[in-house]
Coordinates of all heavy atoms in Angstrom, one line a residue:
M23 N 0.8 -1.2 0.0 CA 0.0 0.0 0.0 C 0.9 1.2 0.0 O 1.9 1.3 0.7 CB -0.9 0.0 1.2 CG -2.1 -1.0 1.2 SD -3.2 -0.7 2.5 CE -2.3 -1.1 3.9
K24 N 0.4 2.3 -0.7 CA 1.1 3.5 -0.8 C 0.8 4.4 0.4 O 1.6 5.2 0.9 CB 0.8 4.3 -2.0 CG 1.2 3.5 -3.3 CD 2.7 3.4 -3.5 CE 2.9 2.7 -4.8 NZ 4.3 2.4 -5.0
F25 N -0.5 4.4 0.9 CA -1.0 5.2 2.0 C -2.3 4.6 2.5 O -2.9 3.8 1.9 CB -1.1 6.6 1.6 CG -2.1 6.9 0.5 CD1 -3.5 7.1 0.9 CD2 -1.8 6.9 -0.8 CE1 -4.4 7.4 -0.1 CE2 -2.7 7.2 -1.8 CZ -4.0 7.4 -1.4
V26 N -2.7 5.1 3.7 CA -3.9 4.7 4.3 C -4.7 5.9 4.6 O -4.2 6.9 5.1 CB -3.7 3.9 5.6 CG1 -5.0 3.6 6.4 CG2 -3.0 2.6 5.3
V27 N -6.0 5.9 4.4 CA -7.0 7.0 4.8 C -7.8 6.3 5.9 O -8.6 5.4 5.6 CB -7.8 7.5 3.7 CG1 -8.8 8.6 4.3 CG2 -6.9 8.2 2.7
A28 N -7.7 6.7 7.2 CA -8.5 6.2 8.3 C -9.4 7.3 8.9 O -8.9 8.1 9.5 CB -7.5 5.6 9.3
V29 N -10.6 7.2 8.6 CA -11.6 8.1 9.2 C -12.2 7.5 10.4 O -12.7 6.4 10.3 CB -12.7 8.5 8.1 CG1 -13.7 9.4 8.8 CG2 -12.1 9.1 6.9
C30 N -12.0 8.1 11.5 CA -12.4 7.5 12.8 C -11.7 6.2 13.1 O -12.2 5.3 13.7 CB -13.9 7.3 12.9 SG -14.8 8.9 12.7
G31 N -10.4 6.1 12.6 CA -9.6 4.9 12.7 C -9.1 4.8 14.2 O -9.1 5.7 14.9
F32 N -8.7 3.6 14.5 CA -8.3 3.3 15.9 C -7.4 2.0 15.9 O -7.3 1.3 14.9 CB -9.5 3.1 16.8 CG -10.4 1.9 16.4 CD1 -10.2 0.7 17.0 CD2 -11.3 2.0 15.4 CE1 -11.0 -0.4 16.6 CE2 -12.1 1.0 15.0 CZ -11.9 -0.3 15.6
T33 N -6.8 1.8 17.0 CA -6.1 0.5 17.3 C -7.0 -0.3 18.2 O -7.7 0.1 19.0 CB -4.7 0.7 18.0 OG1 -4.9 1.4 19.2 CG2 -3.8 1.5 17.1
F34 N -6.8 -1.6 18.0 CA -7.4 -2.6 18.9 C -6.8 -2.5 20.3 O -5.5 -2.5 20.4 CB -7.4 -4.0 18.4 CG -8.1 -4.2 17.1 CD1 -7.4 -4.4 15.9 CD2 -9.5 -4.2 17.1 CE1 -8.1 -4.6 14.8 CE2 -10.2 -4.4 15.9 CZ -9.5 -4.6 14.8
G35 N -7.5 -2.4 21.3 CA -7.0 -2.2 22.7 C -6.5 -3.6 23.3 O -5.7 -3.6 24.2
N36 N -7.1 -4.7 22.9 CA -6.7 -6.0 23.5 C -5.2 -6.3 23.2 O -4.8 -6.2 22.0 CB -7.6 -7.1 22.9 CG -7.5 -8.4 23.6 OD1 -6.4 -8.8 23.9 ND2 -8.6 -9.0 23.9
P37 N -4.5 -6.7 24.2 CA -3.1 -7.0 24.0 C -2.7 -8.0 23.0 O -1.6 -8.1 22.5 CB -2.6 -7.4 25.4 CG -3.6 -6.8 26.3 CD -4.9 -6.8 25.6
I38 N -3.7 -8.9 22.6 CA -3.4 -9.9 21.6 C -3.1 -9.3 20.3 O -2.5 -10.0 19.4 CB -4.5 -11.0 21.5 CG1 -5.8 -10.4 21.0 CG2 -4.7 -11.7 22.8 CD1 -6.8 -11.4 20.7
Y39 N -3.5 -8.1 20.1 CA -3.2 -7.4 18.8 C -1.9 -6.5 18.8 O -1.6 -5.9 17.8 CB -4.4 -6.5 18.4 CG -5.7 -7.3 18.2 CD1 -6.7 -7.2 19.2 CD2 -5.9 -8.1 17.2 CE1 -7.9 -7.9 19.0 CE2 -7.0 -8.8 17.0 CZ -8.0 -8.7 17.9 OH -9.2 -9.5 17.8
N40 N -1.2 -6.5 19.8 CA 0.0 -5.7 19.9 C 1.0 -5.9 18.8 O 1.6 -5.0 18.3 CB 0.7 -5.9 21.3 CG -0.1 -5.2 22.4 OD1 -1.0 -4.5 22.2 ND2 0.3 -5.6 23.6
D41 N 1.1 -7.1 18.3 CA 2.0 -7.4 17.2 C 1.7 -6.7 15.9 O 2.5 -6.6 15.0 CB 2.1 -8.9 17.0 CG 2.9 -9.6 18.1 OD1 3.5 -9.0 18.9 OD2 2.8 -10.9 18.2
L42 N 0.4 -6.3 15.8 CA 0.0 -5.5 14.6 C 0.7 -4.1 14.5 O 0.8 -3.6 13.4 CB -1.5 -5.4 14.5 CG -2.4 -6.6 14.3 CD1 -3.8 -6.3 14.5 CD2 -2.1 -7.3 13.0
Y43 N 1.1 -3.7 15.7 CA 1.6 -2.3 15.8 C 3.0 -2.2 16.2 O 3.5 -1.1 16.5 CB 0.7 -1.5 16.8 CG -0.7 -1.7 16.6 CD1 -1.5 -2.5 17.5 CD2 -1.4 -1.2 15.5 CE1 -2.9 -2.7 17.2 CE2 -2.7 -1.4 15.2 CZ -3.5 -2.1 16.1 OH -4.8 -2.3 15.9
S44 N 3.7 -3.4 16.2 CA 5.1 -3.4 16.5 C 5.8 -4.4 15.6 O 5.5 -5.5 15.5 CB 5.3 -3.9 18.0 OG 6.6 -3.9 18.3
P45 N 6.8 -3.9 14.8 CA 7.3 -2.5 14.8 C 6.2 -1.6 14.2 O 5.2 -2.0 13.7 CB 8.5 -2.6 13.8 CG 8.2 -3.8 12.9 CD 7.4 -4.7 13.8
K46 N 6.5 -0.3 14.4 CA 5.5 0.7 14.0 C 5.2 0.6 12.5 O 6.0 0.2 11.7 CB 6.1 2.1 14.3 CG 6.1 2.5 15.7 CD 6.5 3.9 15.9 CE 6.3 4.2 17.4 NZ 6.3 5.7 17.7
I47 N 4.0 1.0 12.1 CA 3.5 1.0 10.8 C 4.2 2.1 10.0 O 4.3 3.2 10.4 CB 2.0 1.3 10.8 CG1 1.2 0.3 11.6 CG2 1.5 1.4 9.4 CD1 -0.2 0.6 11.9
E48 N 4.8 1.7 8.9 CA 5.6 2.6 8.1 C 4.8 3.2 6.9 O 5.2 4.2 6.4 CB 6.9 2.0 7.5 CG 7.8 1.6 8.6 CD 9.1 1.1 8.1 OE1 9.5 1.3 6.9 OE2 9.8 0.4 8.9
T49 N 3.7 2.7 6.6 CA 2.8 3.2 5.6 C 2.2 4.5 6.0 O 1.7 4.6 7.2 CB 1.6 2.2 5.3 OG1 2.2 1.0 4.9 CG2 0.8 2.8 4.1
P50 N 2.3 5.6 5.3 CA 1.8 6.9 5.7 C 0.2 6.8 5.9 O -0.5 6.1 5.1 CB 2.1 7.8 4.5 CG 3.2 7.2 3.8 CD 3.0 5.7 4.0
I51 N -0.2 7.4 7.0 CA -1.6 7.4 7.4 C -2.2 8.8 7.4 O -1.6 9.6 8.1 CB -1.8 6.7 8.7 CG1 -1.3 5.2 8.7 CG2 -3.3 6.7 9.2 CD1 -1.3 4.6 10.1
F52 N -3.3 9.0 6.8 CA -4.1 10.2 7.0 C -5.2 9.8 8.0 O -6.1 9.0 7.6 CB -4.7 10.7 5.6 CG -5.6 11.9 5.8 CD1 -5.0 13.1 5.7 CD2 -6.9 11.8 6.0 CE1 -5.8 14.3 5.8 CE2 -7.7 13.0 6.1 CZ -7.1 14.2 6.0
L53 N -5.2 10.3 9.2 CA -6.1 9.9 10.2 C -7.0 11.1 10.5 O -6.6 12.1 11.0 CB -5.3 9.5 11.5 CG -6.1 9.2 12.7 CD1 -7.1 8.1 12.5 CD2 -5.1 8.9 13.9
A54 N -8.3 10.9 10.2 CA -9.3 11.9 10.5 C -10.0 11.5 11.8 O -10.5 10.4 11.9 CB -10.3 12.1 9.4
I55 N -10.0 12.4 12.8 CA -10.6 12.2 14.1 C -11.8 13.1 14.3 O -11.7 14.3 14.1 CB -9.6 12.4 15.2 CG1 -8.4 11.4 15.1 CG2 -10.3 12.2 16.6 CD1 -7.3 11.7 16.0
A56 N -13.0 12.5 14.6 CA -14.2 13.3 14.9 C -14.2 13.8 16.3 O -13.9 13.0 17.2 CB -15.4 12.4 14.6
S57 N -14.5 15.0 16.4 CA -14.4 15.7 17.8 C -15.5 15.2 18.7 O -15.3 15.2 19.9 CB -14.5 17.2 17.7 OG -15.8 17.6 17.1
I58 N -16.6 14.7 18.2 CA -17.7 14.2 19.1 C -18.1 12.8 18.7 O -19.3 12.4 18.7 CB -18.9 15.2 19.1 CG1 -19.4 15.5 17.7 CG2 -18.6 16.5 19.8 CD1 -20.7 16.3 17.7
D59 N -17.1 12.0 18.4 CA -17.4 10.6 18.1 C -17.7 9.8 19.3 O -16.9 9.8 20.3 CB -16.1 10.0 17.4 CG -16.4 8.7 16.7 OD1 -17.4 7.9 17.1 OD2 -15.6 8.3 15.8
T60 N -18.9 9.3 19.3 CA -19.4 8.5 20.5 C -19.1 7.0 20.3 O -19.3 6.2 21.3 CB -20.9 8.7 20.7 OG1 -21.6 8.3 19.5 CG2 -21.2 10.1 21.0
M61 N -18.6 6.6 19.2 CA -18.2 5.2 18.9 C -16.8 4.8 19.1 O -16.5 3.7 19.6 CB -18.7 4.8 17.5 CG -20.2 4.9 17.3 SD -20.7 4.5 15.7 CE -20.5 2.7 15.7
I62 N -15.9 5.8 18.8 CA -14.5 5.6 18.9 C -13.9 6.6 19.8 O -14.0 7.8 19.5 CB -13.8 5.6 17.5 CG1 -14.4 4.7 16.5 CG2 -12.3 5.4 17.6 CD1 -14.3 3.2 16.9
A63 N -13.3 6.2 20.9 CA -12.6 7.1 21.8 C -11.4 7.8 21.1 O -10.7 7.2 20.4 CB -12.2 6.4 23.0
E64 N -11.2 9.1 21.4 CA -10.1 9.8 20.8 C -8.8 9.1 21.2 O -7.9 9.1 20.4 CB -10.1 11.3 21.3 CG -9.0 12.1 20.7 CD -9.1 13.5 21.1 OE1 -10.2 14.1 21.2 OE2 -8.0 14.1 21.2
S65 N -8.7 8.6 22.4 CA -7.5 7.9 22.8 C -7.1 6.7 21.9 O -6.0 6.5 21.7 CB -7.6 7.5 24.3 OG -8.7 6.6 24.5
A66 N -8.2 6.0 21.4 CA -7.9 4.9 20.5 C -7.4 5.3 19.2 O -6.5 4.7 18.6 CB -9.2 4.0 20.4
S67 N -7.9 6.5 18.7 CA -7.4 7.0 17.5 C -6.0 7.5 17.7 O -5.1 7.3 16.8 CB -8.3 8.2 17.0 OG -9.5 7.7 16.6
L68 N -5.7 8.2 18.8 CA -4.3 8.6 19.0 C -3.3 7.5 19.2 O -2.2 7.7 18.9 CB -4.3 9.6 20.2 CG -5.1 10.9 20.0 CD1 -5.1 11.7 21.3 CD2 -4.6 11.7 18.9
R69 N -3.8 6.4 19.7 CA -2.9 5.2 19.7 C -2.5 4.8 18.3 O -1.3 4.3 18.1 CB -3.5 4.0 20.5 CG -3.5 4.2 22.0 CD -3.8 2.9 22.7 NE -5.0 2.2 22.3 CZ -6.2 2.4 22.9 NH1 -6.3 3.3 23.9 NH2 -7.2 1.8 22.4
L70 N -3.4 4.9 17.4 CA -3.1 4.6 16.0 C -2.1 5.6 15.5 O -1.1 5.2 14.8 CB -4.4 4.6 15.1 CG -4.1 4.4 13.6 CD1 -3.5 3.0 13.4 CD2 -5.4 4.5 12.8
R71 N -2.2 6.9 15.8 CA -1.2 7.8 15.4 C 0.1 7.5 15.9 O 1.2 7.5 15.3 CB -1.7 9.2 15.9 CG -0.6 10.3 15.6 CD -0.7 11.5 16.5 NE -0.5 11.1 17.9 CZ -0.8 11.9 19.0 NH1 -1.3 13.0 18.8 NH2 -0.5 11.4 20.2
D72 N 0.2 7.1 17.2 CA 1.4 6.8 17.9 C 2.0 5.4 17.4 O 3.2 5.2 17.7 CB 1.2 6.8 19.4 CG 0.8 8.1 20.0 OD1 1.0 9.1 19.2 OD2 0.3 8.2 21.1
S73 N 1.2 4.6 16.7 CA 1.7 3.3 16.2 C 2.3 3.4 14.9 O 2.6 2.4 14.3 CB 0.5 2.3 16.2 OG 0.0 2.1 17.5
S74 N 2.4 4.6 14.3 CA 2.9 4.9 13.0 C 4.1 5.8 13.0 O 4.2 6.6 13.9 CB 1.7 5.5 12.2 OG 2.2 6.0 11.0
T75 N 4.9 5.6 11.9 CA 6.1 6.5 11.8 C 5.7 7.8 11.0 O 6.5 8.7 11.0 CB 7.2 5.8 11.1 OG1 6.8 5.4 9.8 CG2 7.7 4.6 11.9
S76 N 4.6 7.8 10.3 CA 4.2 8.9 9.5 C 2.6 9.0 9.5 O 2.0 8.4 8.7 CB 4.7 8.7 8.1 OG 4.3 9.7 7.2
T77 N 2.1 9.9 10.3 CA 0.7 10.1 10.4 C 0.3 11.6 10.3 O 0.9 12.4 11.1 CB 0.1 9.5 11.7 OG1 0.4 8.1 11.8 CG2 -1.4 9.6 11.7
A78 N -0.6 11.9 9.4 CA -1.1 13.2 9.3 C -2.5 13.2 10.0 O -3.4 12.4 9.7 CB -1.3 13.7 7.9
V79 N -2.7 14.0 11.0 CA -3.9 14.0 11.8 C -4.8 15.2 11.4 O -4.3 16.3 11.3 CB -3.7 14.1 13.3 CG1 -4.9 14.2 14.1 CG2 -2.9 12.8 13.7
Y80 N -6.1 14.9 11.1 CA -7.1 15.9 10.8 C -8.2 15.7 11.8 O -8.8 14.7 11.8 CB -7.6 15.7 9.3 CG -8.6 16.7 8.9 CD1 -8.3 18.0 8.4 CD2 -10.0 16.4 9.0 CE1 -9.2 18.9 8.1 CE2 -10.9 17.3 8.7 CZ -10.6 18.6 8.2 OH -11.5 19.5 7.8
I81 N -8.5 16.8 12.6 CA -9.6 16.7 13.5 C -10.7 17.5 13.0 O -10.5 18.7 12.6 CB -9.1 17.2 14.9 CG1 -8.0 16.3 15.5 CG2 -10.3 17.2 15.9 CD1 -7.4 16.7 16.8
F82 N -11.9 16.9 12.9 CA -13.0 17.7 12.3 C -14.2 17.7 13.4 O -14.3 16.9 14.2 CB -13.5 17.1 11.0 CG -14.1 15.6 11.1 CD1 -15.4 15.4 11.2 CD2 -13.3 14.5 11.1 CE1 -15.9 14.2 11.3 CE2 -13.7 13.3 11.1 CZ -15.1 13.1 11.3
Q83 N -15.0 18.8 13.3 CA -16.1 19.0 14.1 C -17.2 18.1 13.6 O -17.8 18.3 12.6 CB -16.6 20.4 14.1 CG -15.5 21.4 14.6 CD -15.2 21.1 16.1 OE1 -16.1 20.9 16.9 NE2 -13.9 21.1 16.4
G84 N -17.5 17.0 14.4 CA -18.6 16.1 13.9 C -18.5 14.8 14.7 O -17.7 14.6 15.6
A85 N -19.4 13.9 14.2 CA -19.5 12.6 14.9 C -18.9 11.5 14.0 O -18.0 11.8 13.2 CB -21.0 12.3 15.2
H86 N -19.3 10.3 14.1 CA -18.8 9.1 13.5 C -19.2 9.1 12.0 O -20.2 8.3 11.7 CB -19.2 7.9 14.2 CG -18.4 6.7 13.9 ND1 -17.1 6.4 14.3 CD2 -18.7 5.6 13.1 CE1 -16.7 5.3 13.8 NE2 -17.7 4.8 13.0
Y87 N -18.7 9.9 11.1 CA -19.0 9.8 9.7 C -17.8 10.3 8.9 O -16.8 10.9 9.5 CB -20.2 10.7 9.4 CG -20.1 12.2 9.7 CD1 -19.5 13.1 8.8 CD2 -20.5 12.7 11.0 CE1 -19.3 14.4 9.1 CE2 -20.3 14.0 11.3 CZ -19.8 14.9 10.3 OH -19.6 16.2 10.6
I88 N -17.9 10.2 7.6 CA -16.8 10.7 6.7 C -17.2 12.1 6.3 O -18.2 12.4 5.7 CB -16.7 9.8 5.5 CG1 -16.3 8.3 5.9 CG2 -15.7 10.4 4.5 CD1 -16.4 7.4 4.7
P89 N -16.3 13.0 6.7 CA -16.6 14.4 6.3 C -16.5 14.6 4.8 O -15.7 14.0 4.2 CB -15.5 15.2 7.1 CG -14.5 14.3 7.4 CD -15.1 12.9 7.5
R90 N -17.2 15.6 4.3 CA -17.2 15.9 2.9 C -17.0 17.4 2.6 O -17.2 17.8 1.5 CB -18.4 15.4 2.2 CG -18.6 13.9 2.2 CD -19.9 13.5 1.7 NE -20.1 12.1 1.7 CZ -20.6 11.4 2.7 NH1 -20.9 12.0 3.8 NH2 -20.7 10.1 2.7
D91 N -16.6 18.1 3.7 CA -16.4 19.6 3.5 C -15.1 19.9 2.8 O -14.2 19.1 2.7 CB -16.5 20.3 4.9 CG -15.4 19.8 5.8 OD1 -14.3 20.4 5.8 OD2 -15.6 18.8 6.5
E92 N -15.0 21.1 2.3 CA -13.9 21.6 1.5 C -12.6 21.5 2.3 O -11.5 21.0 1.7 CB -14.1 23.0 1.1 CG -13.1 23.6 0.2 CD -13.2 23.0 -1.2 OE1 -14.2 22.5 -1.6 OE2 -12.1 23.1 -1.9
L93 N -12.5 21.8 3.6 CA -11.3 21.7 4.4 C -10.8 20.3 4.5 O -9.6 20.0 4.3 CB -11.5 22.3 5.8 CG -11.7 23.8 5.9 CD1 -12.0 24.2 7.3 CD2 -10.4 24.5 5.3
F94 N -11.7 19.3 4.7 CA -11.3 17.9 4.7 C -10.7 17.5 3.4 O -9.6 16.9 3.4 CB -12.5 17.0 5.1 CG -12.2 15.6 5.0 CD1 -11.5 14.9 6.0 CD2 -12.6 14.8 3.9 CE1 -11.2 13.6 5.9 CE2 -12.3 13.5 3.8 CZ -11.6 12.8 4.8
L95 N -11.4 17.8 2.3 CA -10.9 17.4 1.0 C -9.6 18.0 0.6 O -8.7 17.4 0.1 CB -12.0 17.7 -0.1 CG -13.3 16.9 0.1 CD1 -14.3 17.4 -0.9 CD2 -13.1 15.5 0.0
Q96 N -9.4 19.3 1.0 CA -8.1 19.9 0.8 C -7.0 19.3 1.5 O -5.9 19.1 1.0 CB -8.2 21.4 1.1 CG -9.0 22.3 0.1 CD -9.2 23.7 0.6 OE1 -8.7 24.1 1.7 NE2 -9.7 24.5 -0.3
A97 N -7.2 19.0 2.8 CA -6.3 18.3 3.6 C -5.9 16.9 3.1 O -4.7 16.5 3.0 CB -6.7 18.2 5.1
L98 N -6.9 16.2 2.6 CA -6.7 14.9 2.1 C -5.9 15.0 0.8 O -4.9 14.2 0.5 CB -8.0 14.1 1.8 CG -7.9 12.7 1.2 CD1 -7.1 11.8 2.1 CD2 -9.3 12.2 1.1
V99 N -6.2 15.9 -0.1 CA -5.5 16.1 -1.4 C -4.0 16.4 -1.1 O -3.1 15.9 -1.7 CB -6.2 17.1 -2.3 CG1 -5.2 17.6 -3.4 CG2 -7.5 16.6 -2.8
H100 N -3.8 17.3 -0.1 CA -2.5 17.7 0.3 C -1.7 16.6 0.7 O -0.5 16.4 0.4 CB -2.5 18.8 1.3 CG -1.2 19.4 1.7 ND1 -0.4 20.1 0.9 CD2 -0.5 19.2 2.9 CE1 0.8 20.4 1.5 NE2 0.7 19.8 2.7
F101 N -2.3 15.7 1.6 CA -1.6 14.5 2.1 C -1.2 13.6 0.9 O -0.1 13.1 0.8 CB -2.6 13.8 3.0 CG -2.1 12.4 3.4 CD1 -1.1 12.2 4.4 CD2 -2.6 11.3 2.8 CE1 -0.7 10.9 4.7 CE2 -2.2 10.0 3.1 CZ -1.2 9.8 4.1
I102 N -2.1 13.3 0.0 CA -1.8 12.5 -1.1 C -0.7 13.1 -2.0 O 0.2 12.4 -2.5 CB -3.1 12.2 -2.0 CG1 -4.1 11.4 -1.1 CG2 -2.8 11.4 -3.3 CD1 -5.4 11.2 -1.7
E103 N -0.8 14.4 -2.2 CA 0.3 15.0 -3.0 C 1.6 14.9 -2.3 O 2.7 14.6 -2.9 CB 0.0 16.5 -3.2 CG -1.1 16.8 -4.1 CD -1.5 18.3 -4.2 OE1 -1.2 19.0 -3.2 OE2 -2.2 18.7 -5.1
D104 N 1.6 15.0 -0.9 CA 2.9 14.8 -0.2 C 3.4 13.3 -0.3 O 4.6 13.1 -0.5 CB 2.7 15.1 1.3 CG 2.7 16.6 1.5 OD1 3.0 17.4 0.6 OD2 2.3 17.0 2.7
V105 N 2.5 12.4 -0.3 CA 2.9 11.0 -0.4 C 3.6 10.7 -1.7 O 4.6 10.1 -1.8 CB 1.7 10.0 -0.1 CG1 2.1 8.6 -0.5 CG2 1.2 10.1 1.3
F106 N 3.0 11.2 -2.8 CA 3.5 11.0 -4.1 C 4.5 12.1 -4.6 O 4.9 12.1 -5.7 CB 2.4 10.8 -5.1 CG 1.6 9.6 -4.9 CD1 0.3 9.6 -4.5 CD2 2.2 8.3 -5.2 CE1 -0.4 8.4 -4.3 CE2 1.4 7.2 -5.1 CZ 0.1 7.2 -4.6
S107 N 4.7 13.1 -3.7 CA 5.6 14.2 -4.1 C 5.1 14.8 -5.3 O 6.0 15.1 -6.3 CB 7.0 13.7 -4.2 OG 7.5 13.3 -2.9
I108 N 3.8 15.1 -5.5 CA 3.3 15.7 -6.6 C 3.3 17.2 -6.5 O 2.9 17.7 -5.5 CB 1.8 15.2 -6.9 CG1 1.8 13.7 -7.1 CG2 1.2 16.0 -8.0 CD1 0.4 13.1 -7.1
K109 N 3.8 17.9 -7.5 CA 3.8 19.3 -7.5 C 2.4 19.8 -8.1 O 1.9 19.2 -9.0 CB 4.9 19.9 -8.4 CG 6.3 19.3 -7.9 CD 6.7 19.9 -6.6 CE 8.1 19.4 -6.3 NZ 8.3 18.9 -5.1
E110 N 2.0 21.0 -7.6 CA 0.7 21.5 -8.1 C 0.7 21.8 -9.6 O -0.3 21.6 -10.3 CB 0.4 22.8 -7.4 CG 0.0 22.6 -6.0 CD -0.5 23.9 -5.3 OE1 -1.1 24.7 -6.0 OE2 -0.1 24.1 -4.1
D111 N 1.8 22.1 -10.2 CA 1.9 22.3 -11.6 C 1.9 21.1 -12.5 O 2.0 21.1 -13.7 CB 3.1 23.3 -12.0 CG 4.4 22.7 -11.5 OD1 4.4 21.8 -10.7 OD2 5.4 23.2 -12.0
H112 N 1.8 19.9 -11.9 CA 1.9 18.6 -12.6 C 0.6 17.9 -12.3 O 0.6 16.6 -12.2 CB 3.1 17.8 -12.2 CG 4.4 18.4 -12.6 ND1 5.2 19.0 -11.7 CD2 5.0 18.4 -13.8 CE1 6.3 19.4 -12.3 NE2 6.2 19.1 -13.6
E113 N -0.6 18.5 -12.4 CA -1.8 17.8 -12.1 C -2.2 16.7 -13.1 O -2.8 15.8 -12.7 CB -3.0 18.9 -12.0 CG -2.9 19.8 -10.9 CD -4.0 20.8 -10.8 OE1 -4.8 20.8 -11.7 OE2 -3.9 21.7 -10.0
D114 N -1.7 16.9 -14.3 CA -2.0 15.8 -15.3 C -1.2 14.6 -15.1 O -1.4 13.5 -15.8 CB -1.7 16.4 -16.7 CG -2.6 17.5 -17.1 OD1 -3.7 17.6 -16.6 OD2 -2.1 18.3 -17.9
D115 N -0.2 14.6 -14.2 CA 0.6 13.4 -13.9 C -0.1 12.3 -13.2 O 0.4 11.2 -13.1 CB 1.9 13.8 -13.1 CG 2.8 14.6 -13.9 OD1 2.7 14.7 -15.1 OD2 3.8 15.2 -13.3
W116 N -1.3 12.6 -12.7 CA -2.1 11.5 -12.0 C -2.3 10.3 -12.8 O -2.3 9.2 -12.3 CB -3.4 12.1 -11.5 CG -3.3 12.8 -10.2 CD1 -3.3 14.1 -10.0 CD2 -3.2 12.2 -8.9 NE1 -3.2 14.4 -8.7 CE2 -3.1 13.2 -8.0 CE3 -3.1 10.9 -8.5 CZ2 -3.0 13.0 -6.6 CZ3 -3.0 10.7 -7.1 CH2 -2.9 11.7 -6.2
E117 N -2.4 10.4 -14.1 CA -2.7 9.2 -14.9 C -1.5 8.3 -15.0 O -1.6 7.1 -15.3 CB -3.1 9.6 -16.3 CG -2.0 10.4 -17.1 CD -2.6 11.1 -18.4 OE1 -3.7 11.6 -18.3 OE2 -1.9 10.9 -19.4
D118 N -0.3 8.7 -14.5 CA 0.9 7.9 -14.5 C 0.8 6.9 -13.2 O 1.6 6.0 -13.2 CB 2.1 8.7 -14.4 CG 2.4 9.6 -15.6 OD1 1.9 9.1 -16.7 OD2 3.1 10.5 -15.5
Y119 N -0.1 7.2 -12.3 CA -0.1 6.4 -11.1 C -1.3 5.4 -11.3 O -2.5 5.7 -11.3 CB -0.4 7.2 -9.9 CG 0.8 8.1 -9.6 CD1 0.8 9.4 -10.0 CD2 1.9 7.7 -8.9 CE1 1.8 10.2 -9.7 CE2 3.0 8.5 -8.6 CZ 2.9 9.8 -9.1 OH 4.0 10.6 -8.8
E120 N -0.9 4.1 -11.4 CA -1.8 3.0 -11.7 C -2.4 2.5 -10.4 O -3.4 1.7 -10.5 CB -1.2 2.0 -12.6 CG -0.8 2.5 -14.0 CD -0.1 1.4 -14.8 OE1 0.1 0.3 -14.3 OE2 0.2 1.8 -15.9
D121 N -1.8 2.7 -9.3 CA -2.2 2.1 -8.1 C -3.5 2.7 -7.6 O -3.8 3.6 -7.1 CB -1.1 2.2 -7.0 CG 0.1 1.3 -7.4 OD1 -0.1 0.4 -8.2 OD2 1.2 1.6 -6.8

């Protein structure tokens, strides 16, 4: 995988899953955390951040859903551009990425 987008993502708290997070995840993660998520505790999401060597955190005002506002989309696009080191003046280069 080139990157992960985890909206309301988290780590499993049960110790039997510790091997999933050690060594740390090297795949870049875009982690969106909902400020009023009643299903996933913020601490569980932050454990996912801490289990990675490269995590971009985006906190949005909302509950357990995928945000679709302009700020979220801009942050996600910026993250993807960073992962692929895409320059703004090379927008047509996307067709070169088959993954």
Side-chain angles (χ1 to χ4, degrees):
M23 287 190 292
K24 301 287 184 190
F25 63 89
V26 171
V27 176
V29 177
C30 302
F32 62 96
T33 59
F34 294 109
N36 190 315
I38 64 171
Y39 298 108
N40 286 350
D41 288 346
L42 293 175
Y43 313 108
S44 181
K46 288 189 173 195
I47 301 165
E48 293 186 19
T49 303
I51 299 173
F52 179 87
L53 175 59
I55 300 173
S57 63
I58 54 174
D59 193 337
T60 58
M61 298 179 72
I62 305 298
E64 184 176 322
S65 60
S67 291
L68 293 176
R69 279 195 310 269
L70 177 57
R71 177 202 62 192
D72 296 341
S73 298
S74 168
T75 60
S76 177
T77 303
V79 176
Y80 178 85
I81 299 176
F82 65 96
Q83 298 297 315
H86 192 79
Y87 62 85
I88 298 172
R90 293 175 182 87
D91 61 89
E92 187 72 20
L93 289 176
F94 172 78
L95 295 175
Q96 287 175 354
L98 181 56
V99 166
H100 182 71
F101 169 78
I102 293 169
E103 288 174 343
D104 283 351
V105 167
F106 289 111
S107 299
I108 297 171
K109 306 288 185 232
E110 286 185 38
D111 57 342
H112 295 102
E113 291 178 5
D114 295 334
D115 291 349
W116 274 103
E117 61 192 48
D118 295 337
Y119 293 98
E120 295 177 359
D121 293 340

